[in-house]
Amino acid sequence: MRGIDLFSTLHRRRLPDDPLVLPGPWDAASARVLVDAGFPALATPSAGVAASLGYEDGRTPADEMFAAVARIARAVDVPVSADVEGGYGLPAKELVERLLEAGVVGCNLEDSDGGVLKDARAHADRLAEVCSAAAGRLFVNARIDTFVRGVPDPERTVERAALYVAAGADCVYPIGAPTEVLPLLRSGIKGPVNVLARLDGEGPSPTRLGELGATRVTFGPGLQRSAARALRETAGRLAR
């Protein structure tokens, strides 16, 4: 089974208490650790990769992001999806070509820029171009930034999701959605829903998020930041 076929299959017909859990590696070494732990696929976080390269989130040059993602994809034998932020201003065809050259099977594309939500219909057109250029070779996860951009009305998220699914997106990602609205989003959105989980023990477990409506669960840069904290603590002990 090709990587894209396996990745797509992993999203289908999941039980409510068994969402697809996609941890986020930030480099080749972390990717290998996650695969050795038994995860069937991975999803790189742009913020985690940025930190590993010495950049602030959103400031990584496109060439460096694609090179980092390619190193991760080469290091493991499971499907890898890449967070490529807003697509770095690349035309759809070039964006798809660069993702495929990097060896990934999917991508995240967000619908805000500079902290401001994009026009939903214009972004849907952009997604349609990417999906058309991909021609089934990439699993497109459309990130919806309403909740993190000060638009808390779930109906606005559902409206955007409908436009993005109609444009060809394979999954939608209402990042930052409060736990209590997940059942409403699940009932209003057709297709898979990606939900962000926390690693600090304060939020619901992946299993609980699945019961609330998540098809798949990701952690953003949570794992990279957790590893950085652990290293900081170890370094502090060594420096005493």
Side-chain angles (χ1 to χ4, degrees):
M1 183 179 289
R2 292 185 309 151
I4 178 60
D5 296 328
L6 173 58
F7 194 65
S8 297
T9 298
L10 288 170
H11 289 77
R12 298 186 192 129
R13 294 185 289 279
R14 304 201 69 90
L15 297 174
D17 62 349
D18 183 35
L20 174 61
V21 177
L22 295 175
W26 56 95
D27 60 14
S30 60
R32 286 174 174 157
V33 168
L34 295 170
V35 171
D36 287 345
F39 290 98
L42 307 174
T44 68
S46 63
V49 173
S52 76
L53 296 173
Y55 294 101
E56 294 181 9
D57 186 22
R59 298 296 183 86
T60 308
D63 287 348
E64 292 198 45
M65 181 62 76
F66 285 115
V69 167
R71 287 192 292 272
I72 291 170
R74 284 197 303 268
V76 295
D77 59 359
V78 303
V80 176
S81 181
D83 181 350
V84 289
E85 302 172 303
Y88 308 109
L90 297 172
K93 185 174 184 295
E94 183 178 353
L95 176 61
V96 168
E97 288 174 349
R98 297 199 67 172
L99 286 164
L100 294 173
E101 287 171 0
V104 300
V105 301
C107 67
N108 278 13
L109 288 172
E110 59 195 51
D111 68 350
S112 65
D113 183 31
V116 179
L117 283 170
K118 299 176 182 178
D119 177 81
R121 293 190 180 278
H123 188 63
D125 290 343
R126 162 75 161 167
L127 289 171
E129 292 175 355
V130 171
C131 292
S132 176
R137 295 173 294 171
L138 289 172
F139 189 98
V140 177
N141 187 34
R143 200 180 94 174
I144 304 175
D145 288 0
T146 45
F147 292 104
V148 295
R149 303 302 179 206
V151 183
D153 183 356
E155 292 302 326
R156 302 290 79 78
T157 300
V158 171
E159 289 171 1
R160 283 180 174 256
L163 288 172
Y164 301 164
V165 170
D170 300 288
C171 183
V172 296
Y173 178 17
I175 187 172
T179 302
E180 61 269 20
V181 307
L182 292 179
L184 176 60
L185 296 180
R186 175 67 281 169
S187 65
I189 295 174
K190 294 182 179 179
V193 176
N194 187 148
V195 174
L196 180 68
R198 297 172 61 173
L199 290 171
D200 56 9
E202 296 297 321
S205 67
T207 295
R208 179 58 181 151
L209 290 174
E211 292 170 345
L212 292 170
T215 309
R216 80 183 209 180
V217 173
T218 54
F219 304 92
L223 287 169
Q224 182 273 325
R225 291 173 180 172
S226 177
R229 285 193 298 271
L231 178 59
R232 192 176 298 115
E233 292 171 2
T234 300
R237 291 195 298 271
L238 293 174
R240 292 189 186 122

